[in-house]
Amino acid sequence: MITKKVPFYSLGYVTESLGRDLLSAFGGVLESNWFIRGPRSERFEGVFAKYCGAQFGVGTGNGLDALTLMLRASIELGYLKRGDEVIVPANTFIATVLAVCAAGLVPVLVDPDRETCNLDVSLLEGACSERTRAILAVHLYGRLADMPAICEFAKAKGLLVFEDAAQAHGAELDERRGSTGSPTETRDERLETKDERKVARSTAAAYSFYPTKNLGALGDGGMVVTDDAELARTVRMLGNYGSERKYVNKYVGVNSRLDEVQAAILLEKLPHLDGWNARRREIAARYCSEIKNPLVRVTPVPANPLSHVWHVFPVFCERRDELQSFLSARGVETLVHYPIPPHLQEAFTGASDSLLRHGVLPVAEELARTELSIPMGPGLGDDDVSRVIEALNEFV
Ligand SMILES: *Cc1c(COP(=O)(O)O)cnc(C)c1O
């Protein structure tokens, strides 16, 4: 009865559309016989930082490491100290929380806004204690968190702001992509200058290039993006055994670097990212206007459509599991992002309870119970989109 499945995400589309270019990029690395920390990773770091409107990019082995090293570098530089509390949205992917813990900091989980699924700024005040030192905003599903409001709150409280941008490559705050980068020491001064008042910026942002992200490698990869030269330098050292000069170790570092093969692939893919994101926005606009089922809630297109890159298109339904089976029977693939919120994960319950701090989190728990991600990606055709919409509207 079903002719063809509507895939949740077609990675094959991206790979096939760039087939030859990816092969020759890979061939170039093979011929160069240079695989770690070479000209391609250096070039991609520069190009991607510029794309983000920031000065420095430091490649890492993956997104979790980018987050962890960004925070660890902030500790080494004295911006933060071990045991400090960092505010994190309670409905994020587990890696955000793991990174805060791995850096020796304490995540404080805050309920998200039900509509945007991002940090609810009105709850920040109540989440602060005398140990709170930073906010790690997550641009969940590709929608930029309310950075101007978050940065304004942080400024008033003397907190740092960091970004988990693992799902938001190319999302723009005004004309800038992401909001990354004002150097920590001069952040206050820069906020006083005219054009910076409008766009308060974070200390640094962490990206992931996991294959299915909006910009994905052929394996793991990540990057820290910042305007803070010292932070960039420290992240680079931490990811290279704590060393800047061979066999001289300043920090207790790790090995976490973006390799030449991944950098070569990402250099090929980056010029296509804006086009892919534009296609995602087209699909999202159709979903938002054509899904008309009182049982299915969608998140609206933001006032500035460019601030959302729709890494995921979430719908919310009280009978989520039933809806998922219903769609599956009609050939529509879906996933849940995410079924269990971090505070209910075994890793954080029971004996290790003191690892994080949180109050009641009704919105995060509701989202976990009702979220369903429907097909999204640049490879999705108009007919596929129509089939998804029809199937959703038929659910009773
Ligand atoms: C993917 C992701 C990460 C982790 O990135 P990896 O490269 O998979 O380690 C962190 N945070 C969020 C929000 C993500 O979606």
Side-chain angles (χ1 to χ4, degrees):
M1 154 185 135
I2 299 303
T3 46
K4 191 168 146 281
K5 270 200 171 139
V6 181
F8 176 72
Y9 177 68
S10 170
L11 196 51
Y13 165 84
V14 169
T15 311
E16 279 157 33
S17 67
L18 300 179
R20 272 176 202 289
D21 294 341
L22 296 188
L23 275 175
S24 66
F26 178 72
V29 179
L30 202 57
E31 272 168 31
S32 77
N33 279 311
W34 194 282
F35 301 108
I36 305 279
R37 298 193 106 192
R40 289 165 181 85
S41 53
E42 198 177 304
R43 194 153 100 243
F44 181 65
E45 287 174 341
V47 167
F48 190 71
K50 186 152 178 258
Y51 176 84
C52 295
Q55 287 193 53
F56 306 102
V58 182
T60 60
N62 54 64
L64 172 58
D65 284 356
L67 285 161
T68 306
L69 297 184
M70 170 176 85
L71 297 171
R72 277 200 59 193
S74 300
I75 293 172
E76 298 293 0
L77 293 174
Y79 302 169
L80 301 172
K81 62 179 189 316
R82 288 181 149 267
D84 282 350
E85 291 181 353
V86 179
I87 290 174
V88 169
N91 58 325
T92 188
F93 178 55
I94 195 73
T96 322
V97 179
L98 296 177
V100 176
C101 292
L105 301 159
V106 179
V108 178
L109 305 179
V110 173
D111 231 3
D113 178 86
R114 198 168 167 270
E115 191 129 287
T116 65
C117 304
N118 281 329
L119 272 177
D120 182 341
V121 178
S122 73
L123 299 180
L124 294 178
E125 181 75 53
C128 285
S129 77
E130 66 284 357
R131 293 170 65 198
T132 309
R133 289 289 173 275
I135 300 170
L136 174 47
V138 180
H139 308 309
L140 199 72
Y141 305 142
R143 177 189 297 260
L144 281 193
D146 188 352
M147 294 306 289
I150 290 168
C151 289
E152 196 181 310
F153 176 85
K155 192 193 170 199
K157 283 277 185 179
L159 309 178
L160 296 178
V161 178
F162 297 93
E163 296 168 77
D164 180 340
Q167 302 188 357
H169 317 70
E172 293 183 35
L173 178 69
D174 298 334
E175 75 284 8
R176 292 177 143 152
R177 294 188 177 88
S179 66
T180 305
S182 98
T184 307
E185 318 89 274
T186 60
R187 190 162 56 97
D188 284 356
E189 288 159 34
R190 290 185 54 169
L191 285 170
E192 298 315 325
T193 71
K194 217 174 170 189
D195 57 336
E196 287 294 324
R197 207 173 293 144
K198 187 162 49 108
V199 192
R201 306 184 92 200
S202 72
T203 295
Y207 286 86
S208 161
F209 304 116
Y210 183 80
T212 57
K213 305 289 182 179
N214 290 35
L215 180 64
L218 300 185
D220 279 314
M223 194 176 293
V224 176
V225 167
T226 181
D227 276 349
D228 184 331
E230 275 308 299
L231 189 75
R233 187 175 161 207
T234 309
V235 169
R236 192 177 299 285
M237 280 194 261
L238 285 172
N240 190 47
Y241 320 108
S243 165
E244 195 166 43
R245 204 145 55 84
K246 216 167 189 181
Y247 310 128
V248 180
N249 297 79
K250 179 163 172 157
Y251 301 116
V252 180
V254 297
N255 174 2
S256 185
R257 305 170 296 212
L258 185 68
D259 67 65
E260 289 290 288
V261 170
Q262 303 312 336
I265 296 299
L266 291 164
L267 276 167
E268 288 301 325
K269 285 189 171 186
L270 181 59
H272 301 273
L273 177 59
D274 286 347
W276 291 333
N277 283 342
R279 176 61 186 155
R280 286 174 183 269
R281 286 191 193 102
E282 255 172 41
I283 296 164
R286 277 197 65 192
Y287 281 158
C288 285
S289 67
E290 295 176 45
I291 296 171
K292 290 197 173 80
N293 183 335
L295 300 174
V296 179
R297 180 171 75 87
V298 301
T299 60
V301 174
N304 171 11
L306 297 181
S307 69
H308 202 330
V309 292
W310 301 98
H311 172 61
V312 158
F313 191 98
V315 302
F316 299 92
C317 176
E318 281 297 335
R319 287 154 53 205
R320 186 261 315 278
D321 296 348
E322 251 180 275
L323 177 62
Q324 184 167 35
S325 311
F326 180 88
L327 293 175
S328 171
R330 279 153 189 77
V332 176
E333 278 183 8
T334 57
L335 291 175
V336 173
H337 297 95
Y338 300 93
I340 306 172
H343 69 286
L344 299 178
Q345 294 287 355
E346 190 180 347
F348 292 114
T349 55
S352 41
D353 209 27
S354 57
L355 279 178
L356 47 76
R357 195 162 73 71
H358 66 87
V360 291
L361 299 166
V363 180
E365 290 178 16
E366 181 198 324
L367 298 180
R369 192 180 69 243
T370 59
E371 198 274 349
L372 190 65
S373 305
I374 62 176
M376 171 54 79
L380 208 59
D382 291 338
D383 292 351
D384 291 335
V385 177
S386 299
R387 269 182 63 194
V388 175
I389 293 166
E390 262 164 46
L392 277 161
N393 288 340
E394 278 166 16
F395 181 69
V396 286

